[in-house]
Amino acid sequence: MTLVETHLKRRTILKGGAAALATLSAPAVLRAAEPAPIKVGILQPVTGALAQDGEYGRLGAELAIEDINKAGGIKSLGGAKLQMVFGDARSNPEAGTQEVERMQEEGVIGIVGGFASPICLAASQAASRYDLPYLVDVGVSDQITGRGLKNTFRFAPGFSICTAAAIQNLVRINEAAGKPAKTVALVHEDGLFGSGLAKLMATELPKYGFEILDQIAVPTPSRDLSNVTLRLRSLNPDLIIPSTYYGETVLLARTMQQQRVRPKAVYAVLNGAASNRRFVAEFPEAAEGVMDCNHWYDPRNAKSQAVQARVEAAGKPYNYNIPLNYSSVGLLADALERAGAAERGKVIEALNTSTFKDHLMPYGETKFVNGQNMGAAPVSTQVQKGQIKVVYPSDFADAKPMFPANG
Amino acid sequence: MYSPTILIEAMINGLLTGAIYALIALGLTLVYGVLHIINFAHGAILASAMFAVWGLNVLGGIDPYLSILFLAPVFFALGYGVQRLIIGPAAKDDDGNILLITLGLSIFIENALLAGFGSDTRSISSDFSFSVVEAGPFLISSPRLVGFAGSLVVTALLWFIMSRTDAGKAIRAVAKEKLGASLMGIDVGHVYALTFGLGCAALAVAAGLLMPTFYVNPRVGGAFVNIAFTIVVLGGMGSIPGAMIGGLLIGLVESLSGLLLGESLGQIGIFIIFILVLLLKPTGLFGAKA
């Protein structure tokens, strides 16, 4: 009897299961009218040393995907929605590469992000094996777009564009103020980004009459920067140009404030803190007057203002990673729209001929040459009364430069 | 190349920073000396103590120095509990487990901090953070002076506990001869937990002394823990004065070689000394003969 009962029960369950399956499959039939979502890989370091930047980058990409989907998805593909496949690059290139492999298996149409140069270098290389479009969000190393990879694009300015702009902006700002700054001390992190930048500045700045007093390399993380500050105090340069990540810039600025090192100006280049609202909020005195030549959004752009309001309403600072990733996802969506097919080759082709302008940055239309957007440029910012203002070039400026910042 | 004023100020900076390094190394050397384990979670515990100091300051407006009075006993209790409930039982089966346990603990704490506080770097800012003492031509950071004094007080206190109290004597007995001590009626498990607790309490003090000038993020322990390991080996494993002298020495060497060779190469001086000690006196400056 028991056996029969069990048998019966099993049958009942099977019947029930079949009915349930039929019910479940019904919406699937209905859904078939809507095209399958397009998977987009978002790669950011959200754990490890660069996690803070990675979080901002992810937020920018998420907001962009949300907005694109709300606006009806990719219209040329029947309104297909974008679906984020997120990968944590864990602040190192190996993890970044692993995540690219995983995203490849999940069938993404392209990857956006990477943040740090070493991660972008490795991840874009890995993506190139699959002809997978890769859009670098920040990674400034010139090598990234200089290797002739067909799949790699950078919407933002690279290293040489940034340095050239930083020098040009500095020279103009200094000239306009009657050339008060003559001597320079460079403080840089000792990795690929900081050392390369310091080397370039040390060769270029003397051509404009600046004298380089010293180049001081600091490790990341640094435990103590009292000695660096001590050296700066003894050198007494007119200008200090720091190219360091967040923690070290904060440490340097605090120690300088404490040790009363007050150069005519602190003019950072691609700095990890000087254009970070958290730094300004937490150390208003140390941050006041600090200038930076960096990625920044167009403060006059209405769309950017709207995104900024949303980010700030959520209690987060509107740092440059957000508009950069927002714009990069927009660029990919625009390419998909024009490609009219979720095919990698066609998307790459569409990116190559991109004239994207619906972005949040102070750039014109996108124009890619060997994967680098030639329309991209950084701006010079300055912390003025607790606010980060664009001070140069004047086309995008929302304040005048305060130079020299200290008497 | 540098004026004597700068060299002297660099030396002062080095000694002041070295005292904090020493305090961080103190817990490590104690735990190694008694429990014979390398505590890989040391840096993560320091990071959590720094977050605790930061949290008390931001949420409760409590001064970092004042928070030490509250956090040192809390971290002592936490350390005691962790040793009793996690490390101790694991060590019963196989000593090799301990390394994995402390490593796992480190990963757990780091990720818990990441989940709880996010990856942002945070700091405490007060007027005192920026104050300096002017001694002739030298500008000496007041928070670092307090850190130096605090570190000396803790070392002296710990030395007193170890040499003058029953608990200290029990700890030393267990460190020297575990089996003998247990035969004499000493509860070895309790002594282990006591030692681990003391190590954690020292980290809580270090956190309170560091926060007025340093920043915290979930990975901040990494910046200090390597140097602490070096100090432990240099000073002699398990030696309290060794940790202090080793810390001061490392601070001094790091500061001077950082100034003369460049900040990135500051570590070279430390490791040259480290290798020399290993070659000439492998037990460390104050270590007992093996």
Side-chain angles (χ1 to χ4, degrees), chain A residues 46-49 51-52 55-56 190 214 216-219 221-228 230-231 233-234 246-248 250-251 254 257-260 278 282-283 285-286, chain B residues 2 6 9-10 13 17 21 114 119-125 129-132 134 137 139 141 143-144 212-215 219 223-224 227 254-255 258-259 262-264 267:
Chain A
V46 293
T47 54
Q52 187 184 359
E55 290 287 359
Y56 293 133
D190 58 4
D214 203 355
I216 308 171
V218 298
S222 280
R223 286 177 292 265
D224 181 20
L225 292 176
S226 334
N227 279 339
V228 170
L230 203 56
R231 277 168 81 170
R233 207 171 77 203
S234 76
Y246 186 84
E248 285 60 45
V250 170
L251 204 57
R254 293 184 75 175
Q257 189 189 349
Q258 191 184 42
Q259 299 283 320
R260 297 170 196 166
R278 175 175 285 278
E282 286 185 354
F283 304 102
E285 281 179 44
Chain B
Y2 288 106
I6 287 198
E9 196 164 326
N13 283 340
T17 315
Y21 292 168
L114 202 58
S119 52
D120 288 357
T121 292
R122 296 152 199 267
S123 343
I124 292 173
S125 189
S129 300
F130 299 107
S131 75
V132 283
E134 285 184 54
L139 291 178
S141 148
R144 280 178 200 274
T213 50
F214 208 72
Y215 60 83
R219 298 180 71 254
F224 292 97
I227 210 106
E254 184 186 46
S255 183
L259 185 73
E263 212 57 36
S264 296
Q267 307 275 329

Coordinates of all heavy atoms in Angstrom, one line a residue, chain A residues 46-49 51-52 55-56 190 214 216-219 221-228 230-231 233-234 246-248 250-251 254 257-260 278 282-283 285-286, chain B residues 2 6 9-10 13 17 21 114 119-125 129-132 134 137 139 141 143-144 212-215 219 223-224 227 254-255 258-259 262-264 267:
Chain A
V46 N 36.3 47.3 -7.3 CA 35.5 47.8 -6.1 C 36.0 47.1 -4.8 O 35.4 47.4 -3.8 CB 34.0 47.5 -6.3 CG1 33.4 48.4 -7.4 CG2 33.7 46.0 -6.6
T47 N 37.0 46.3 -4.9 CA 37.7 45.9 -3.7 C 39.2 46.2 -3.9 O 39.7 46.4 -5.0 CB 37.5 44.4 -3.4 OG1 37.9 43.7 -4.5 CG2 36.1 44.1 -3.0
G48 N 40.0 46.3 -2.8 CA 41.4 46.6 -2.9 C 41.7 48.1 -2.9 O 40.8 48.9 -2.6
A49 N 42.9 48.4 -3.2 CA 43.4 49.8 -3.0 C 42.6 50.9 -3.8 O 42.5 52.0 -3.3 CB 44.9 49.9 -3.3
A51 N 39.4 50.8 -4.6 CA 38.0 50.5 -4.5 C 37.1 51.8 -4.5 O 36.0 51.8 -5.0 CB 37.7 49.7 -3.2
Q52 N 37.6 52.8 -3.9 CA 36.9 54.1 -3.8 C 36.5 54.6 -5.2 O 35.4 54.9 -5.5 CB 37.6 55.1 -3.0 CG 36.8 56.4 -2.7 CD 37.7 57.4 -2.0 OE1 38.8 57.2 -1.7 NE2 37.1 58.6 -1.8
E55 N 34.0 52.3 -7.1 CA 32.6 52.4 -6.7 C 32.0 53.6 -7.4 O 30.9 53.5 -7.9 CB 32.5 52.7 -5.2 CG 32.8 51.5 -4.3 CD 31.8 50.5 -4.3 OE1 30.7 50.6 -5.0 OE2 32.0 49.4 -3.6
Y56 N 32.7 54.7 -7.6 CA 32.2 55.9 -8.3 C 32.0 55.5 -9.8 O 31.0 55.8 -10.4 CB 33.2 57.1 -8.2 CG 33.3 57.6 -6.8 CD1 34.5 57.9 -6.2 CD2 32.1 57.9 -6.0 CE1 34.6 58.4 -5.0 CE2 32.2 58.4 -4.8 CZ 33.5 58.7 -4.2 OH 33.6 59.2 -3.0
D190 N 55.2 56.5 -7.1 CA 56.3 55.9 -7.8 C 56.0 54.8 -8.8 O 56.8 54.0 -9.3 CB 57.4 55.3 -6.8 CG 56.8 54.3 -5.9 OD1 55.6 54.0 -6.0 OD2 57.5 53.9 -5.0
D214 N 63.2 69.8 -7.7 CA 63.3 68.4 -7.2 C 62.2 67.5 -7.7 O 61.1 68.1 -8.0 CB 63.3 68.4 -5.6 CG 64.0 67.1 -5.1 OD1 64.4 66.2 -5.9 OD2 64.1 67.0 -3.9
I216 N 60.2 64.3 -6.2 CA 60.2 63.4 -5.1 C 59.2 62.3 -5.3 O 58.0 62.5 -5.5 CB 59.8 64.2 -3.8 CG1 60.7 65.4 -3.7 CG2 59.8 63.3 -2.6 CD1 60.3 66.4 -2.6
A217 N 59.7 61.0 -5.3 CA 58.8 59.9 -5.5 C 58.3 59.4 -4.2 O 59.1 59.3 -3.2 CB 59.6 58.8 -6.2
V218 N 57.0 59.1 -4.1 CA 56.5 58.5 -2.8 C 55.8 57.2 -3.1 O 55.1 57.1 -4.1 CB 55.5 59.5 -2.1 CG1 56.2 60.7 -1.6 CG2 54.3 59.8 -2.9
P219 N 55.9 56.2 -2.2 CA 55.2 54.9 -2.4 C 53.7 55.0 -2.1 O 53.3 55.9 -1.3 CB 56.0 54.0 -1.5 CG 56.6 54.8 -0.5 CD 56.8 56.2 -1.0
P221 N 50.9 52.4 -0.4 CA 50.6 53.5 0.6 C 51.8 54.0 1.3 O 52.8 53.3 1.4 CB 49.7 52.8 1.6 CG 50.1 51.4 1.6 CD 50.6 51.1 0.2
S222 N 51.8 55.3 1.6 CA 52.9 55.8 2.4 C 52.4 55.9 3.9 O 51.2 56.2 4.1 CB 53.2 57.3 2.0 OG 54.0 57.2 0.8
R223 N 53.3 55.7 4.8 CA 52.9 55.7 6.2 C 53.1 57.1 6.8 O 52.4 57.5 7.7 CB 53.7 54.8 7.0 CG 53.3 53.3 6.9 CD 54.3 52.4 7.7 NE 55.6 52.5 7.1 CZ 56.1 51.6 6.3 NH1 55.3 50.6 5.9 NH2 57.3 51.7 5.8
D224 N 54.0 57.9 6.2 CA 54.4 59.1 6.8 C 55.0 60.0 5.7 O 55.9 59.6 5.0 CB 55.4 58.8 7.9 CG 55.9 60.1 8.6 OD1 55.1 61.1 8.5 OD2 56.9 60.1 9.2
L225 N 54.5 61.2 5.5 CA 55.2 62.1 4.5 C 55.8 63.3 5.2 O 56.0 64.3 4.5 CB 54.1 62.5 3.5 CG 53.6 61.4 2.6 CD1 52.5 61.8 1.6 CD2 54.8 60.8 1.8
S226 N 56.2 63.2 6.5 CA 56.8 64.4 7.1 C 58.1 64.7 6.4 O 58.5 65.9 6.3 CB 57.1 64.1 8.6 OG 56.3 63.1 9.1
N227 N 58.9 63.7 6.0 CA 60.2 64.0 5.4 C 60.0 64.7 4.0 O 60.8 65.6 3.7 CB 61.0 62.7 5.2 CG 61.7 62.4 6.4 OD1 61.9 63.2 7.3 ND2 62.0 61.1 6.6
V228 N 59.0 64.3 3.3 CA 58.7 64.9 2.0 C 58.4 66.4 2.2 O 58.9 67.3 1.6 CB 57.6 64.2 1.3 CG1 57.1 65.0 0.0 CG2 58.0 62.8 0.9
L230 N 59.3 68.1 4.8 CA 60.5 68.8 5.2 C 61.4 69.2 4.0 O 61.9 70.3 4.0 CB 61.3 67.7 6.1 CG 62.3 68.2 7.1 CD1 61.6 69.2 8.1 CD2 62.8 67.0 7.9
R231 N 61.5 68.3 3.1 CA 62.2 68.6 1.9 C 61.6 69.8 1.1 O 62.3 70.7 0.7 CB 62.3 67.4 0.9 CG 63.4 66.5 1.3 CD 63.3 65.2 0.6 NE 63.9 65.3 -0.8 CZ 64.0 64.2 -1.5 NH1 63.7 63.0 -1.0 NH2 64.5 64.3 -2.7
R233 N 59.8 72.1 2.5 CA 60.0 73.3 3.2 C 61.4 73.9 3.0 O 61.6 75.1 2.8 CB 59.9 73.0 4.7 CG 59.4 74.2 5.5 CD 59.0 73.8 6.9 NE 60.2 73.6 7.8 CZ 60.2 72.9 8.9 NH1 59.1 72.3 9.3 NH2 61.3 72.8 9.6
S234 N 62.4 73.0 2.9 CA 63.8 73.5 2.6 C 63.9 74.0 1.2 O 64.7 74.9 0.9 CB 64.8 72.4 3.0 OG 64.8 71.5 2.0
Y246 N 44.7 59.2 -3.7 CA 43.9 59.9 -2.6 C 44.6 60.0 -1.2 O 44.8 61.1 -0.7 CB 42.5 59.3 -2.5 CG 41.6 60.0 -1.6 CD1 40.9 61.1 -2.0 CD2 41.5 59.7 -0.2 CE1 40.1 61.9 -1.2 CE2 40.7 60.4 0.7 CZ 40.0 61.5 0.2 OH 39.2 62.3 1.0
G247 N 44.9 58.8 -0.7 CA 45.4 58.8 0.7 C 46.7 59.6 0.9 O 46.8 60.3 1.8
E248 N 47.6 59.5 -0.1 CA 48.8 60.2 0.0 C 48.7 61.7 -0.2 O 49.4 62.5 0.4 CB 49.8 59.7 -1.0 CG 50.4 58.3 -0.6 CD 49.3 57.2 -0.5 OE1 48.5 57.2 -1.4 OE2 49.4 56.5 0.5
V250 N 46.1 63.4 0.6 CA 45.5 63.9 1.9 C 46.6 64.0 2.9 O 46.7 65.0 3.6 CB 44.4 63.0 2.4 CG1 43.9 63.3 3.8 CG2 43.2 63.0 1.4
L251 N 47.4 63.0 3.0 CA 48.5 63.0 4.0 C 49.5 64.1 3.7 O 49.9 64.9 4.6 CB 49.2 61.6 3.9 CG 50.0 61.1 5.1 CD1 49.1 61.0 6.3 CD2 50.6 59.8 4.7
R254 N 47.8 67.5 4.5 CA 47.7 67.7 6.0 C 49.0 68.1 6.6 O 49.2 69.0 7.4 CB 47.1 66.5 6.6 CG 45.7 66.2 6.2 CD 45.2 65.0 7.0 NE 44.9 65.3 8.4 CZ 44.3 64.5 9.2 NH1 44.0 63.3 8.9 NH2 44.0 64.9 10.5
Q257 N 50.1 71.5 5.7 CA 49.4 72.5 6.5 C 50.0 72.6 7.9 O 50.2 73.7 8.4 CB 47.9 72.1 6.5 CG 47.0 73.2 7.2 CD 45.6 72.7 7.4 OE1 45.2 71.6 7.0 NE2 44.9 73.5 8.2
Q258 N 50.3 71.4 8.4 CA 50.8 71.4 9.8 C 52.2 72.0 9.8 O 52.5 72.8 10.7 CB 50.9 69.9 10.2 CG 51.2 69.8 11.7 CD 51.3 68.4 12.1 OE1 51.9 67.6 11.4 NE2 50.8 68.0 13.2
Q259 N 53.0 71.7 8.8 CA 54.4 72.2 8.8 C 54.5 73.6 8.2 O 55.6 74.0 7.9 CB 55.3 71.2 8.1 CG 55.4 69.8 8.7 CD 56.2 69.7 9.9 OE1 57.3 70.3 10.0 NE2 55.8 69.0 10.9
R260 N 53.4 74.1 7.9 CA 53.4 75.5 7.4 C 54.1 75.7 6.1 O 54.8 76.6 5.9 CB 53.9 76.5 8.4 CG 53.0 76.5 9.7 CD 53.6 77.3 10.8 NE 53.0 77.0 12.0 CZ 53.5 77.3 13.2 NH1 54.6 78.0 13.3 NH2 52.9 77.0 14.3
R278 N 35.2 64.6 -1.5 CA 35.4 64.1 -0.1 C 36.6 64.8 0.5 O 36.5 65.2 1.7 CB 35.7 62.6 -0.1 CG 36.0 62.0 1.2 CD 36.1 60.5 1.1 NE 34.8 59.9 1.0 CZ 34.0 59.7 2.1 NH1 34.4 60.0 3.3 NH2 32.9 59.1 1.9
E282 N 36.3 67.1 3.8 CA 36.9 66.7 5.1 C 38.0 67.6 5.5 O 38.3 67.8 6.7 CB 37.4 65.2 5.0 CG 36.3 64.2 5.0 CD 36.8 62.8 5.1 OE1 38.0 62.6 4.9 OE2 35.9 61.9 5.2
F283 N 38.7 68.1 4.6 CA 39.9 69.0 4.9 C 39.8 70.3 4.2 O 40.6 70.7 3.4 CB 41.2 68.3 4.6 CG 41.3 67.0 5.2 CD1 41.1 65.8 4.5 CD2 41.6 66.9 6.6 CE1 41.1 64.6 5.1 CE2 41.6 65.7 7.2 CZ 41.4 64.5 6.5
E285 N 40.4 73.3 4.9 CA 41.6 74.3 5.0 C 42.7 73.8 4.2 O 43.4 74.6 3.5 CB 42.0 74.4 6.5 CG 41.1 75.4 7.2 CD 41.5 75.5 8.7 OE1 42.8 75.6 8.9 OE2 40.7 75.5 9.5
A286 N 43.0 72.5 4.3 CA 44.2 71.9 3.5 C 43.9 72.0 2.0 O 44.7 72.1 1.2 CB 44.5 70.5 3.9
Chain B
Y2 N 71.8 68.4 2.8 CA 70.8 69.0 3.7 C 71.4 69.7 4.9 O 72.4 69.2 5.4 CB 69.8 67.9 4.2 CG 69.0 67.3 3.1 CD1 69.2 66.1 2.5 CD2 67.9 68.1 2.6 CE1 68.4 65.6 1.5 CE2 67.1 67.6 1.6 CZ 67.3 66.4 1.1 OH 66.5 65.9 0.1
I6 N 67.5 70.2 9.1 CA 66.6 69.3 8.4 C 66.9 67.8 8.8 O 66.0 67.0 9.1 CB 66.7 69.4 6.9 CG1 66.0 70.7 6.5 CG2 66.2 68.2 6.1 CD1 65.7 70.9 5.1
E9 N 65.6 67.3 12.2 CA 64.1 67.2 12.2 C 63.6 65.9 11.7 O 62.7 65.3 12.1 CB 63.5 68.4 11.5 CG 62.0 68.5 11.8 CD 61.4 69.9 11.4 OE1 62.1 70.9 11.5 OE2 60.2 69.9 11.0
A10 N 64.4 65.4 10.6 CA 64.0 64.1 10.1 C 64.2 63.0 11.1 O 63.4 62.1 11.2 CB 64.9 63.8 8.8
N13 N 61.4 63.2 13.5 CA 60.2 62.6 12.9 C 60.3 61.1 12.9 O 59.3 60.4 13.2 CB 60.1 63.0 11.4 CG 59.5 64.4 11.3 OD1 58.9 64.9 12.2 ND2 59.8 65.1 10.2
T17 N 57.7 58.6 14.8 CA 56.9 57.6 14.0 C 57.3 56.2 14.5 O 56.4 55.3 14.6 CB 57.2 57.7 12.5 OG1 57.2 59.1 12.2 CG2 56.2 57.0 11.7
Y21 N 55.2 52.6 15.4 CA 55.5 51.3 14.8 C 55.8 50.3 15.9 O 55.3 49.2 15.9 CB 56.8 51.4 14.0 CG 56.7 52.2 12.7 CD1 57.9 52.5 12.0 CD2 55.5 52.6 12.2 CE1 57.9 53.2 10.8 CE2 55.5 53.4 11.0 CZ 56.7 53.7 10.3 OH 56.6 54.4 9.2
L114 N 35.0 46.4 4.7 CA 34.6 46.9 3.4 C 33.1 46.9 3.2 O 32.5 47.9 2.7 CB 35.2 45.9 2.4 CG 35.5 46.5 1.0 CD1 36.4 47.7 1.0 CD2 36.1 45.4 0.1
S119 N 34.7 51.5 0.8 CA 36.2 51.5 0.5 C 36.8 52.8 0.7 O 38.0 53.0 0.6 CB 36.4 51.0 -0.9 OG 35.6 51.8 -1.8
D120 N 36.0 53.8 1.1 CA 36.5 55.2 1.2 C 37.6 55.3 2.3 O 37.6 54.6 3.3 CB 35.4 56.1 1.6 CG 34.4 56.4 0.4 OD1 34.7 55.8 -0.7 OD2 33.4 57.1 0.6
T121 N 38.5 56.2 2.0 CA 39.5 56.6 3.0 C 38.9 57.7 3.9 O 38.3 58.6 3.4 CB 40.8 57.1 2.2 OG1 41.3 56.0 1.5 CG2 41.8 57.7 3.2
R122 N 39.0 57.5 5.2 CA 38.5 58.5 6.1 C 39.5 58.9 7.1 O 40.4 58.2 7.4 CB 37.3 57.8 6.9 CG 36.1 57.4 6.0 CD 35.4 56.2 6.6 NE 34.6 55.5 5.7 CZ 33.3 55.8 5.5 NH1 32.7 56.7 6.2 NH2 32.6 55.1 4.6
S123 N 39.3 60.1 7.6 CA 40.2 60.7 8.6 C 39.5 61.5 9.6 O 38.4 61.9 9.3 CB 41.3 61.5 7.9 OG 41.4 61.3 6.6
I124 N 40.2 61.8 10.7 CA 39.6 62.6 11.7 C 40.4 64.0 11.6 O 41.6 64.0 11.5 CB 39.8 62.0 13.1 CG1 39.0 60.8 13.3 CG2 39.5 63.0 14.2 CD1 39.3 60.0 14.5
S125 N 39.7 65.0 11.6 CA 40.3 66.3 11.6 C 39.9 67.2 12.8 O 38.7 67.4 13.0 CB 40.0 67.0 10.3 OG 40.8 68.1 10.1
S129 N 45.1 68.1 15.3 CA 45.8 67.4 14.3 C 46.8 68.2 13.6 O 47.8 67.7 13.1 CB 44.8 66.9 13.2 OG 43.8 66.1 13.8
F130 N 46.6 69.5 13.5 CA 47.5 70.4 12.8 C 48.4 71.2 13.7 O 49.2 72.0 13.2 CB 46.7 71.3 11.9 CG 45.9 70.6 10.9 CD1 44.5 70.5 11.0 CD2 46.5 70.0 9.8 CE1 43.8 69.8 10.1 CE2 45.8 69.3 8.9 CZ 44.4 69.2 9.0
S131 N 48.4 71.0 15.0 CA 49.2 71.8 15.9 C 50.6 71.3 15.9 O 50.9 70.1 15.8 CB 48.6 71.9 17.3 OG 48.8 70.7 17.9
V132 N 51.5 72.2 16.1 CA 52.9 71.9 16.2 C 53.6 72.5 17.4 O 53.1 73.5 17.9 CB 53.7 72.3 14.9 CG1 53.5 71.4 13.7 CG2 53.5 73.8 14.6
E134 N 56.9 74.3 18.6 CA 58.1 74.9 18.0 C 59.2 74.8 19.0 O 59.2 75.4 20.1 CB 57.8 76.4 17.7 CG 57.0 76.6 16.5 CD 56.8 78.0 16.1 OE1 57.8 78.7 15.9 OE2 55.6 78.4 16.0
P137 N 64.5 75.9 15.9 CA 64.1 75.9 14.5 C 63.2 74.8 14.1 O 62.8 74.7 12.9 CB 65.5 75.8 13.8 CG 66.3 75.0 14.8 CD 65.8 75.4 16.2
L139 N 59.9 72.3 13.9 CA 58.5 72.2 14.0 C 58.1 70.8 14.3 O 58.2 69.9 13.4 CB 57.8 72.7 12.8 CG 57.9 74.1 12.4 CD1 57.2 74.4 11.1 CD2 57.3 75.0 13.5
S141 N 55.4 67.9 15.3 CA 53.9 67.7 15.2 C 53.4 67.2 16.6 O 53.9 66.3 17.2 CB 53.6 66.6 14.2 OG 52.6 65.8 14.6
P143 N 50.5 65.9 17.6 CA 49.9 64.5 17.7 C 51.0 63.4 17.7 O 50.8 62.4 18.4 CB 49.0 64.4 16.5 CG 48.9 65.7 15.9 CD 49.9 66.6 16.5
R144 N 52.1 63.7 17.0 CA 53.1 62.6 17.0 C 53.9 62.6 18.3 O 54.3 61.5 18.8 CB 54.1 62.9 15.9 CG 53.6 62.4 14.6 CD 54.6 62.8 13.4 NE 53.9 62.7 12.2 CZ 53.7 61.6 11.5 NH1 54.2 60.5 11.9 NH2 53.0 61.6 10.4
P212 N 44.6 60.8 14.8 CA 44.7 62.3 14.6 C 45.5 62.7 13.4 O 45.4 63.8 12.8 CB 45.3 62.8 15.9 CG 44.9 61.8 16.9 CD 45.0 60.5 16.2
T213 N 46.5 61.8 13.0 CA 47.3 62.2 11.8 C 47.2 61.3 10.6 O 47.6 61.7 9.5 CB 48.8 62.3 12.2 OG1 49.2 61.0 12.8 CG2 49.2 63.4 13.1
F214 N 46.7 60.1 10.8 CA 46.7 59.2 9.7 C 45.2 58.9 9.2 O 44.3 59.3 9.8 CB 47.3 57.9 10.1 CG 47.9 57.1 8.9 CD1 49.1 57.6 8.3 CD2 47.4 56.0 8.4 CE1 49.7 57.0 7.3 CE2 47.9 55.3 7.4 CZ 49.1 55.8 6.8
Y215 N 45.1 58.3 8.0 CA 43.8 58.0 7.5 C 43.5 56.5 7.7 O 44.4 55.7 8.0 CB 43.7 58.3 6.0 CG 44.7 57.6 5.1 CD1 44.5 56.3 4.7 CD2 45.9 58.2 4.8 CE1 45.4 55.6 3.9 CE2 46.9 57.5 4.0 CZ 46.6 56.3 3.5 OH 47.5 55.6 2.8
R219 N 42.0 48.5 4.2 CA 43.3 47.9 3.9 C 44.4 48.6 4.6 O 45.6 48.3 4.3 CB 43.5 47.8 2.4 CG 42.4 47.0 1.7 CD 42.6 46.9 0.2 NE 43.8 46.1 -0.2 CZ 44.9 46.6 -0.6 NH1 45.1 47.9 -0.7 NH2 45.9 45.8 -0.9
A223 N 49.8 48.8 5.5 CA 50.8 49.8 5.5 C 51.7 49.6 6.7 O 52.9 50.0 6.7 CB 50.2 51.2 5.5
F224 N 51.2 49.0 7.8 CA 52.0 48.9 9.0 C 52.5 47.6 9.4 O 53.4 47.4 10.1 CB 51.1 49.4 10.2 CG 50.8 50.9 10.1 CD1 49.6 51.3 9.6 CD2 51.7 51.9 10.5 CE1 49.3 52.7 9.4 CE2 51.4 53.2 10.4 CZ 50.2 53.6 9.9
I227 N 56.1 46.4 8.4 CA 57.1 47.0 9.2 C 57.1 46.4 10.6 O 58.1 46.2 11.2 CB 56.9 48.6 9.2 CG1 58.2 49.3 9.3 CG2 56.0 49.0 10.3 CD1 58.7 49.9 8.1
E254 N 64.3 54.5 8.5 CA 63.4 54.8 7.4 C 63.3 56.3 7.1 O 63.4 56.7 5.9 CB 62.0 54.3 7.8 CG 61.0 54.5 6.7 CD 59.5 54.2 7.1 OE1 59.1 54.6 8.1 OE2 58.9 53.5 6.3
S255 N 63.3 57.1 8.1 CA 63.2 58.5 8.0 C 64.5 59.1 7.3 O 64.4 59.8 6.3 CB 63.0 59.2 9.3 OG 62.9 60.6 9.2
G258 N 64.9 57.6 3.8 CA 63.8 58.3 3.0 C 64.3 59.6 2.5 O 64.1 60.0 1.4
L259 N 64.9 60.4 3.4 CA 65.3 61.7 3.1 C 66.5 61.7 2.2 O 66.5 62.5 1.2 CB 65.7 62.5 4.4 CG 66.0 63.9 4.3 CD1 64.8 64.8 4.1 CD2 66.7 64.4 5.6
G262 N 65.5 59.0 -1.0 CA 64.2 59.2 -1.7 C 63.2 58.3 -0.9 O 63.5 57.2 -0.5
E263 N 62.0 58.8 -0.9 CA 60.9 58.2 -0.1 C 60.7 56.7 -0.5 O 60.5 55.8 0.3 CB 59.6 59.0 -0.2 CG 58.8 59.0 1.0 CD 59.5 59.5 2.3 OE1 60.3 60.4 2.2 OE2 59.2 58.9 3.3
S264 N 60.7 56.5 -1.8 CA 60.4 55.1 -2.3 C 61.5 54.2 -1.9 O 61.3 52.9 -1.8 CB 60.3 55.1 -3.8 OG 59.2 55.9 -4.2
Q267 N 62.7 52.2 2.3 CA 62.6 50.8 2.8 C 63.9 50.1 2.7 O 64.2 49.2 3.4 CB 61.5 50.0 1.9 CG 60.2 50.7 1.8 CD 59.3 50.4 3.0 OE1 59.4 49.3 3.6 NE2 58.5 51.3 3.4

